[in-house]
Amino acid sequence: MLTITQALYDQIVAHSRADHPDEACGVVAGPEGTGRPERFIPMLNAARSPTFYEFDSADLLKLYREMDDRDEEPVIVYHSHTATEAYPSRTDVTYANEPGAHYVLVSTADTDDAGPFQFRSYRIVDGVITEEDVEVVEAYEPA
């Protein structure tokens, strides 16, 4: 299960809506080994496409160096789908190279009559997609 604060949830959704009609993408980093998403890092979709996202390689290298310096790891890798449901595409599965991360997809298309977006989380390991529950909390419980 992904446990995420309301503030981070709102930031991911706001970024996804702001970049529409292009796909938005980014990372939420957290302290190594905790699995707790804490630091919201919106990224530029270098592809600037409504059907595909791509992290800029220089930005991604900078991000990984920064996370390493801060003893962080990517806890969430997120992006949006602008015209389809929030479910990983074949391309998404191919690019899922963080087996410990939660892959969050936000759909900015109303594909299910449940509202203007969907927020769903998956684990993607060795090409296998497993959807997981999302718990939104006001704050994390003390460690």
Side-chain angles (χ1 to χ4, degrees), residues 112-130:
D112 65 356
D113 295 322
F117 67 91
Q118 300 170 340
F119 187 107
R120 296 166 70 183
S121 183
Y122 304 88
R123 295 292 192 150
I124 305 174
V125 180
D126 296 329
V128 177
I129 303 166
T130 306

Side-chain angles (χ1 to χ4, degrees), residues 6-29:
Q6 185 69 57
L8 286 170
Y9 178 98
D10 292 346
Q11 287 176 300
I12 292 170
V13 171
H15 183 210
S16 298
R17 287 178 168 164
D19 280 13
H20 189 89
D22 289 339
E23 288 192 4
C25 58
V27 172
V28 181

Side-chain angles (χ1 to χ4, degrees), residues 48-67:
R48 291 191 168 92
S49 167
T51 58
F52 180 74
Y53 82 97
E54 181 177 36
F55 292 119
D56 177 89
S57 58
D59 289 347
L60 197 56
L61 179 59
K62 179 182 170 194
L63 170 63
Y64 272 82
R65 286 182 174 155
E66 184 179 287
M67 285 190 300

Side-chain angles (χ1 to χ4, degrees), residues 53 55 60 64 74 77 92-101 103 124:
Y53 82 97
F55 292 119
L60 197 56
Y64 272 82
V77 177
D92 296 339
V93 173
T94 300
Y95 285 115
N97 60 2
E98 288 290 343
Y103 285 88
I124 305 174

Side-chain angles (χ1 to χ4, degrees), residues 72-92:
E72 292 177 327
E73 62 189 358
V75 178
I76 295 172
V77 177
Y78 74 88
H79 76 280
S80 62
H81 282 181
T82 61
T84 59
E85 70 173 318
Y87 188 82
S89 68
R90 281 180 288 185
T91 303
D92 296 339

